[in-house]
Amino acid sequence: MSRTRLDRVLASAGIVKLALQQIEDELTGEVGAQELAQILRELHHEEHRQDGVFGSLAQLLTAAGQAAERLEPDRDGEMSCPLHEAAALITENAGLQTYYATRALDPQGETG
């Protein structure tokens, strides 16, 4: 990775961390169950998973897995498989658990 690319990636990761910190800061005040559920729904985005934070992270890991596949033509997925599995786990496990949490906080919110 060129230094310029690495610098851009590090800067972008810093922006993501700041954005997540801002969301966390919003949760330190008074927050109701419905509002918290809505915030969590934005992270998960059940109807369009690729639009949520978890979906975006899964897409990033999938892209990294595809890049690894190009680097490892003779290694039988040694580098790429864990990245693809991580992407699936984020969408399936973290996303699903977040969905369950939003349903527990605001069962009616899915239809409203």
Side-chain angles (χ1 to χ4, degrees):
M1 179 181 291
S2 70
R3 187 63 194 159
T4 303
R5 182 182 301 169
L6 180 58
D7 290 340
R8 287 193 308 264
V9 168
L10 292 174
S12 295
I15 292 168
V16 169
K17 290 177 188 177
L18 288 173
L20 291 172
Q21 182 61 53
Q22 184 175 355
I23 294 169
E24 185 178 336
D25 291 347
E26 291 294 330
L27 298 175
T28 59
E30 297 260 341
V31 61
Q34 289 179 332
E35 186 178 18
L36 179 57
Q38 186 57 39
I39 291 168
L40 293 174
R41 282 187 189 99
E42 287 302 313
L43 297 175
H44 180 248
H45 230 284
E46 175 65 25
E47 291 179 21
H48 303 283
R49 290 183 183 169
Q50 68 277 9
D51 294 339
V53 173
F54 295 134
S56 294
L57 185 54
Q59 285 178 350
L60 184 145
L61 290 170
T62 297
Q66 291 168 344
E69 287 169 3
R70 292 189 300 270
L71 296 173
E72 62 173 2
D74 298 329
R75 295 181 71 180
D76 198 28
E78 187 178 321
M79 293 186 297
S80 63
C81 283
L83 291 166
H84 289 296
E85 288 177 20
L89 286 172
I90 286 172
T91 339
E92 294 169 15
N93 292 351
L96 185 59
Q97 294 304 318
T98 303
Y99 172 76
Y100 289 149
T102 61
R103 294 289 302 183
L105 289 163
D106 183 23
Q108 303 303 316
E110 292 297 312
T111 59

